[in-house]
Amino acid sequence: MSDSVRKLANLAARVAELESERELTLRLAQTDSLTGLVNRGPFTSALCERLEAARAEGGRVTLFIVDLDRFKALNDTLGHHAGDLFLAEVGERLRCDCAPGELVARLGGDEFALIGADVDVAKRAQRLVSLLAQPHTIYGRVVSPGASVGVAVFPDDAADAGDLQRFADMALYRVKMQGGRRWSAFDAELRAENLRRRTLEAELRRAIPAGEIEPWFQPVIDAADGRIVGAEVLARWRHPEQGLLAPAAFVPIAEELGLIGRIDEAVFEAGCARAATWVADGLIEKVSFNVSPRDLLDPAFSRKLIGRLGRTALPATALTIEITETFLLQDLALSRRHIERLNAKGVSVALDDFGTGYSNLRAIMNLPIQTVKLDRSLIGDVAKEPRVAKLVTSMLQAARALGVRIVAEGVEEEAQAIFLRAAGCDRMQGYFFARPMPAAAMDAELRAPRAVAPVTRETIGRRARS
Ligand code: C2E
Ligand code: CA
Ligand code: CA
């Protein structure tokens, strides 16, 4: 063999080596290392290819989305390694159960998917549920988290891969919410729900620039003298046909569509403009805004907010940002960065809805927050349930010791207000004092001449009735 031929042969061998290395890397990037199943990317491509083929041949494609039910509890009690072992077991079961032509994938977390052909939907879904309901032993412990399944069929339900996945997800969500049977298929009820959401989406996209989302204000009362000392800003949508809508009617869908940031911005801008004059006139000290956990996931959130605040007339020291404990705990490091950046500019941070989750008290108290808002679920029973009364009293003591201010939310009755004041709560908010109101009504409320007196049974009552 001549020298140049040998060189050429070596080169060819090296190229082949590199090629197979590249293939391996590519395959690894497309496979989930825990279960050996394909992951979301290649799964979506495969789904598109199958829809293409079904379209050409007039066939059907069925998509099953599978989500484990109590996986988080398993992870929390037995640890992440046990969780991983269980996910591998689920992957193995699904793979072994696949009929020829079916494809199974791990979409992420404890979510899996299976593409089937023209199958009996009820039978196949029920089989998946039974398969994953069988117990498994990890570290000598028998576990059986169980699973829920959502199904959608091409072309009966959806015309493309995006809709097919969304519809199977909607069916899955319904199973999760309703309990009972562990699987559900997309149907007329979900089709109507989907249409309702699409309409709402289009309307919301129009409503934000049209200025239909407005800030309302709920007074925050100083328990010592019954004066209004602040306000919480709450979003309302003045819908042209449906009238005034509360956040429950549009915040969840805005979060899902990624529109919540724009709503929060609009509410912030308009809310600051109104509140700035009340602060400048010495009528209130503080105004607080809610932000969505989705906004907070943006690492630049606090920097952007400070920039936005600079374009309003509101002093930073008059601003409080309310953050829910679920978010704080979700990402402690990011929360701390946001809070420290806001604090450095003089902006306060309040922990919202305290007492609703399974709080990691120590983790929360280590964060430099200024205020804790006691959730109304606690306040509701404070004057009736001695155990709740004790709990709230000790929370108030702890907060005082830590130098954190407490605002009691959802105060609806005089008895609650009196109890809270006696227990040392310094700020209150609730229907007993005032409901959320539009800016003009708040302005009138603040400018109305009113005798200021310490809160007694009588003055609290008078304040609430006037
Ligand atoms: P939240 O931050 O816990 O706000 C307090 C909610 O409790 C408000 O409901 C308020 O109207 C209501 N409330 C106040 N006092 C009482 C009372 O005495 N009894 C009862 N039963 N309810 C009382 P709203 O305005 O419907 O807002 C609901 C939630 O929507 C808020 O809960 C907040 O999480 C969210 N939200 C409101 N505005 C915005 C916003 O601009 N942006 C974002 N991201 N979320 C918002
Ligand atoms: Ca709030
Ligand atoms: Ca709250």
Side-chain angles (χ1 to χ4, degrees), residues 232 290 322 352 409:
E232 174 173 5
N290 295 285
E322 300 194 358
D352 203 359
E409 281 194 301

Side-chain angles (χ1 to χ4, degrees), residues 44-62 117 153-165:
T44 308
S45 313
L47 182 62
C48 292
E49 276 165 24
R50 298 220 180 175
L51 294 192
E52 210 46 58
R55 220 173 263 131
E57 296 154 13
R60 273 209 172 80
V61 176
T62 314
V153 182
F154 170 89
D156 314 45
D157 301 324
D160 60 45
D163 272 355
L164 196 65
Q165 294 190 52

Side-chain angles (χ1 to χ4, degrees), residues 235-440:
R236 293 293 182 267
W237 178 2
R238 202 174 283 283
H239 192 284
E241 285 121 41
Q242 296 177 44
L244 201 68
L245 298 179
F250 62 93
V251 165
I253 186 146
E255 288 188 324
E256 198 185 303
L257 297 170
L259 292 173
I260 190 67
R262 288 172 54 198
I263 291 186
D264 285 350
E265 249 180 81
V267 170
F268 184 76
E269 225 165 81
C272 282
R274 291 310 292 242
T277 61
W278 300 330
V279 171
D281 293 348
L283 298 170
I284 60 170
E285 292 156 15
K286 288 254 177 203
V287 60
S288 63
F289 290 85
N290 295 285
V291 291
S292 158
R294 285 196 55 135
D295 299 346
L296 292 160
L297 284 173
D298 177 358
F301 162 78
S302 32
R303 210 172 302 130
K304 287 181 189 163
L305 187 102
I306 290 162
R308 225 173 281 140
L309 175 67
R311 292 190 286 278
T312 75
L314 190 78
T317 47
L319 175 65
T320 301
I321 295 300
E322 300 194 358
I323 303 181
T324 59
E325 66 178 339
T326 8
F327 175 76
L328 284 186
L329 292 176
Q330 202 175 312
D331 194 333
L332 271 176
L334 185 58
S335 301
R336 175 174 285 279
R337 230 177 316 138
H338 284 322
I339 296 173
E340 283 173 351
R341 225 183 262 151
L342 291 169
N343 282 176
K345 291 288 168 194
V347 177
S348 309
V349 174
L351 170 60
D352 203 359
D353 301 343
F354 183 73
T356 47
Y358 299 92
S359 317
N360 180 342
L361 252 183
R362 200 162 44 146
I364 288 173
M365 288 312 167
N366 274 333
L367 290 169
I369 49 170
Q370 286 70 48
T371 302
V372 168
K373 300 194 78 171
L374 280 190
D375 192 69
R376 71 163 178 271
S377 56
L378 279 173
I379 304 307
D381 286 335
V382 93
K384 283 191 281 249
E385 292 277 337
R387 289 167 69 93
V388 177
K390 272 201 189 119
L391 181 71
V392 170
T393 306
S394 52
M395 279 178 174
L396 286 163
Q397 280 162 357
R400 233 191 335 268
L402 290 165
V404 172
R405 162 162 279 163
I406 294 244
V407 179
E409 281 194 301
V411 178
E412 292 183 345
E413 294 164 11
E414 184 176 44
Q416 295 160 358
I418 288 170
F419 170 87
L420 287 163
R421 194 180 109 82
C425 178
D426 45 8
R427 295 277 187 269
M428 292 186 230
Q429 181 184 343
Y431 292 173
F432 176 66
F433 299 103
R435 291 187 176 243
M437 57 186 94

